[in-house]
């Protein structure tokens, strides 16, 4: 039924926006080691661009240290170069066996910059969610005009879409708040 399709499409689109926001803020450093910082960094592994976590063991032995142990020691150089080239703001330390990424303590000023960045990303995600709501509402109105759904169905569907939107925006705000708390904690 078209009623369920519109609702499902709206929810799926909004969920994608939420997931995208979550991935985007995961890469923001909070002064603590996180594997997410390596997301998107690839190096040439036998001629193929490969994510670091698919050619090495990544561990966090202490709160502000990430250790990368390549399965093949000949990859230490290329992995180190890829990290330097990625401009993540951390200088890798290579001892021939493993690569260490020491996360520096964040200054108060830098923490505030990061929280502003999180807030900007959150606002972008909310805009995408609201745009998806508008698209779904337009689809509902088209369906009513074409006779696929009744006027009562339209009101019910619009209400359900609004509830989904409100929940997604609430989720974005909760994720942003959690990340900002993490950033501001020393």
């Amino acid at each position: 039924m078209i009623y369920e399709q519109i609702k499902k499409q709206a929810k799926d689109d909004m969920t994608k926006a939420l997931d995208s926001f979550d991935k985007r803020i995961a890469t923001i450093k909070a002064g603590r080691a996180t594997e997410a910082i390596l997301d998107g960094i690839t190096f040439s592994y036998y001629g193929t661009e490969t994510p670091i976590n698919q050619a090495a063991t990544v561990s966090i032995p202490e709160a502000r240290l990430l250790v990368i142990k390549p399965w093949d020691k000949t990859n230490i150089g290329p992995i180190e170069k890829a990290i330097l080239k990625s401009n993540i703001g951390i200088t890798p330390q290579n001892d021939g066996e493993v690569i260490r990424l020491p996360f520096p303590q964040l200054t108060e000023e830098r923490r505030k910059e990061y929280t502003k960045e999180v807030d900007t990303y959150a606002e972008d995600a909310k805009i995408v969610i609201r745009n998806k709501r508008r698209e779904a509402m337009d689809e509902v109105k088209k369906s009513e005009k074409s006779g696929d759904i009744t006027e009562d169905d339209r009101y019910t569907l619009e209400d359900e879409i609004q509830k989904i939107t409100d929940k997604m925006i609430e989720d974005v705000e909760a994720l942003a708040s959690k990340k900002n708390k993490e950033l501001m904690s020393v």
Side-chain angles (χ1 to χ4, degrees), residues 1-141:
M1 181 180 201
I2 193 131
Y3 181 93
E4 289 300 319
Q5 286 175 333
I6 294 171
K7 193 166 89 173
K8 183 182 180 329
Q9 185 64 48
K11 188 171 186 171
D12 289 350
D13 290 347
M14 290 178 195
T15 301
K16 285 178 191 167
L18 180 68
D19 292 345
S20 175
F21 169 67
D22 194 21
K23 285 181 183 141
R24 205 169 177 190
I25 64 171
T27 61
I28 296 175
K29 297 185 297 271
R32 285 191 202 90
T34 174
E35 290 181 29
I37 199 151
L38 299 175
D39 289 353
I41 302 175
T42 60
F43 72 102
S44 183
Y45 186 57
Y46 298 110
T48 305
E49 285 300 309
T50 307
I52 292 171
N53 63 359
Q54 290 183 11
T57 303
V58 180
S59 62
I60 303 171
E62 51 189 78
R64 293 202 334 248
L65 182 67
L66 188 101
V67 176
I68 302 165
K69 184 173 177 145
W71 299 327
D72 179 355
K73 288 186 176 97
T74 60
N75 288 322
I76 282 187
I79 290 173
E80 186 177 23
K81 283 181 189 148
I83 292 168
L84 284 167
K85 195 170 74 175
S86 71
N87 201 14
I88 57 173
I90 300 172
T91 305
Q93 298 170 351
N94 168 0
D95 69 2
E97 295 284 320
V98 296
I99 297 170
R100 288 181 179 79
L101 294 178
F103 283 64
Q105 186 70 38
L106 293 178
T107 64
E108 185 72 18
E109 184 181 317
R110 194 72 178 124
R111 289 175 190 277
K112 287 179 180 173
E113 285 175 27
Y114 282 147
T115 59
K116 285 179 187 172
E117 197 175 324
V118 168
D119 293 342
T120 301
Y121 292 160
E123 196 53 44
D124 291 347
K126 289 182 205 175
I127 289 168
V128 170
I129 289 169
R130 289 184 192 114
N131 286 340
K132 296 302 176 186
R133 175 194 58 199
R134 186 179 34 77
E135 289 170 15
M137 296 294 197
D138 290 347
E139 193 63 37
V140 169
K141 287 175 185 153

